Amino acid sequence: MSTSQTGIGSRRLVVGAHYGIGSWLGQRLTALLMTVYFVGLALCVLIHGDTSYMGWSERFAPLWAKVATLIVIVALLYHAWVGVRDIWMDYIKPASLRLALQMLTVLWLLACGVWAAQILWKV
Amino acid sequence: MSTSTADTPPSSSSSTERPSRKFRNIHITDLAAYRLPAAGMVSILHRVSGALLFLALPLLLWLFDLSLSSELSFARLTELLERGWVKLVLLILVWGFLHHLVAGVRYLLLDLHWGVDKARSRLSAQGVFAVSLTLTLLVGLRLFGVF
């Protein structure tokens, strides 16, 4: 973005949809990744039919499974960030409130990501 | 919902001339009576289900944690899932996930310019409800022990 578009100092534009194409594409690519992962996981569980603790936890035991799951969770967090930010941009007009909500959204998602990693690496 | 207003031109209006149609934003109280087409229903529910899943993330992670931590926590999860209200909450989240997923696939196809015309987009919107609600029903039947 050039400064002529965004303004400088108090005129600087801090919210808006002017950086959309990367987010738009990212949201779709992450959607594709999550679809493949969740459909694959569901099929695995349905085909094997093992609903015991051992069967379930062993699925996440190998390192590649942890890494794949964590990548999907990171994709989910980015996907959710774009989507929830869209909601705030559509309905919340005051910039201060919108920024506060966006900040809370980031914290919420980051906390979930850290927790997810901790859960995965316990197994 | 269009924001454009097309007012009648103030020119030589004869009494036989019909006033042109006006388009305005509907008021929030009109929402209940507004007949949203299937594609519109898919769209707003895509947003609602996405927001729901976002808010439920810690709950879902907690369930994931219970399922993986130990044999004991897994048993606690199975015990928890025997309660009716837990089943209901879970089923709502399952619906949210399935609707978001199936509607999302439709949006990916629309982004590839597949089925953009009115007739096919209407059909695919109805298809989204058919698939997501059927799958939700199946999960519900399994959850409540019908099979």
Side-chain angles (χ1 to χ4, degrees):
Chain A
M1 279 188 287
S2 68
T3 47
S4 63
Q5 274 181 315
T6 57
I8 296 171
S10 64
R11 282 170 56 85
R12 186 177 159 79
L13 193 65
V14 288
V15 290
H18 302 284
Y19 36 84
I21 191 71
S23 306
W24 182 89
L25 192 61
Q27 196 177 38
R28 273 134 193 91
L29 291 175
T30 50
L32 204 60
L33 187 66
M34 284 187 286
T35 304
V36 171
Y37 177 90
F38 283 118
V39 171
L41 183 66
L43 287 177
C44 273
V45 171
L46 282 176
I47 289 165
H48 285 271
D50 188 355
T51 52
S52 70
Y53 171 72
M54 284 312 274
W56 174 247
S57 61
E58 270 169 14
R59 229 171 262 293
F60 298 93
L63 182 64
W64 67 265
K66 291 187 207 304
V67 171
T69 307
L70 192 64
I71 287 173
V72 167
I73 285 170
V74 171
L76 188 151
L77 299 180
Y78 182 74
H79 185 92
W81 160 242
V82 176
V84 173
R85 196 193 60 177
D86 280 346
I87 294 180
W88 302 143
M89 287 197 297
D90 278 354
Y91 304 130
I92 309 293
K93 298 306 170 189
S96 54
L97 182 59
R98 189 190 286 180
L99 281 174
L101 286 169
Q102 287 182 345
M103 180 101 158
L104 285 174
T105 304
V106 171
L107 290 175
W108 181 265
L109 290 173
L110 280 180
C112 286
V114 173
W115 189 15
Q118 190 254 349
I119 292 169
L120 279 170
W121 262 265
K122 270 196 301 195
V123 185
Chain B
M1 281 162 261
S2 172
T3 51
S4 68
T5 53
D7 290 310
T8 21
S11 61
S12 59
S13 53
S14 62
S15 55
T16 53
E17 203 179 317
R18 270 197 311 157
S20 58
R21 215 172 142 197
K22 289 180 183 172
F23 295 98
R24 294 191 185 284
N25 277 348
I26 60 170
H27 192 259
I28 196 155
T29 49
D30 300 331
L31 277 180
Y34 188 78
R35 287 190 309 124
L36 207 56
M41 288 298 289
V42 169
S43 177
I44 188 61
L45 288 177
H46 190 68
R47 174 160 280 192
V48 169
S49 57
L52 182 74
L53 291 170
F54 166 76
L55 291 174
L57 266 181
L59 176 64
L60 294 168
L61 280 173
W62 180 62
L63 296 177
F64 188 53
D65 190 14
L66 281 181
S67 79
L68 282 182
S69 281
S70 66
E71 198 110 35
L72 210 67
S73 69
F74 188 85
R76 201 173 146 220
L77 177 65
T78 346
E79 200 181 277
L80 211 62
L81 286 177
E82 278 162 22
R83 296 181 203 182
W85 67 271
V86 178
K87 291 181 190 198
L88 196 65
V89 170
L90 199 65
L91 191 61
I92 291 169
L93 292 175
V94 165
W95 166 79
F97 175 78
L98 287 171
H99 179 83
H100 205 80
L101 175 70
V102 180
V105 170
R106 175 174 177 267
Y107 288 132
L108 286 178
L109 294 173
L110 286 173
D111 285 338
L112 297 172
H113 302 283
W114 183 90
V116 185
D117 60 285
K118 197 173 174 183
R120 281 202 295 165
S121 87
R122 183 185 165 81
L123 205 64
S124 66
Q126 290 165 344
V128 167
F129 283 122
V131 174
S132 68
L133 290 177
T134 304
L135 289 175
T136 306
L137 183 71
L138 286 176
V139 173
L141 291 176
R142 180 84 170 81
L143 208 57
F144 284 91
V146 177
F147 68 89

